[in-house]
Amino acid sequence: MSTSADELREQVRRRYAESARSVTERTANPGCGGGSCCDGDVEKFGEALYDAEQRGELPEAATLASLGCGNPTAVAELNAGETVLDLGSGGGIDVILSAKRVGPTGTAYGLDMTDEMLALAQQNASEADVANVHFLKGMIEQIPLPASSVDVVISNCVVNLSTDKPAVLTEIARVLKPGGRIGISDIVAEDRLTPTERAERGSYVGCIAGALSKGEYEAGLEAAGFEQIDVTFTYEAADGLHGAIVRAVKRP
Ligand SMILES: C[S@@+](CC[C@H](N)C(=O)[O-])C[C@H]1O[C@@H](n2cnc3c(N)ncnc32)[C@H](O)[C@@H]1O
């Protein structure tokens, strides 16, 4: 029996609410494992992707809650005074790091649909003593920000979890200013893999089954109004599926 988009989204929400609770309650193996994005290989996912200097800037709970498959703050060029939006901000790690990079004259927004993650992120931002952060509750398919209000959109292992990727890419283009840019870490499939073959290699909530292929990502970004599109594989997460860096610029 196929799973509807609403059911899939609810599975994702429940899985990441559980991750947030395990960090808040400091139970064993807080984020990685148990079917989450970093299930199975903690060297390639989560906090291991941040260098010692970055980890030193963060509260322990923010690093523990890291469930990403890259480090978008290392690939997105962020300048003082800019507005950054992190899609699927989880425990807030990339929002806090971005807030420090854009400085007091800039703003970092985190958007997430899971209440438990938003509460954890808020607590982490208070502990990190960053004032220029705002966490928003909502869906990445319907971003609750005005058009042309953001300089840079980042995201870390979340687009693959969306049940409506064209809507996500269209929304990113809408909120970005002309010339605005994206620096996204995600799991991306080789073009040779069919959706069925992707699903054979891992679960949807584990960030594998819902991965776009490289060609699908490039075509989706082009259709949404981007140029200078670059999807680069960085490591193999499963046979034919890779951690990847996705960069593009909104057409003026
Ligand atoms: C794999 S975790 C990554 C969290 C964070 N980016 C990090 O690197 O640690 C996925 C996060 O995206 C959120 N999420 C997944 N799908 C979403 C959607 N459609 N809209 C908003 N948030 C979503 C989940 O609640 C969860 O916090």
Side-chain angles (χ1 to χ4, degrees), residues 14 16-27 116 120:
R14 264 192 269 119
Y16 291 99
E18 194 187 304
S19 287
R21 275 195 297 274
S22 61
V23 173
T24 307
E25 294 160 13
R26 294 289 203 279
T27 46
E116 291 82 347
L120 176 62

Side-chain angles (χ1 to χ4, degrees), residues 72-141:
T73 63
V75 298
E77 188 198 313
L78 303 179
N79 304 309
E82 288 189 319
T83 299
V84 185
L85 167 64
D86 181 19
L87 299 180
S89 43
I93 183 165
D94 296 313
V95 180
I96 295 169
L97 290 170
S98 298
K100 293 183 181 225
R101 297 264 292 280
V102 298
T105 57
T107 304
Y109 288 102
L111 172 64
D112 207 287
M113 67 177 179
T114 305
D115 288 321
E116 291 82 347
M117 278 295 187
L118 288 164
L120 176 62
Q122 195 60 65
Q123 190 186 317
N124 286 333
S126 306
E127 258 181 65
D129 206 20
V130 279
N132 55 334
V133 301
H134 301 280
F135 289 101
L136 309 169
K137 180 172 179 177
M139 310 296 303
I140 64 173
E141 296 83 359

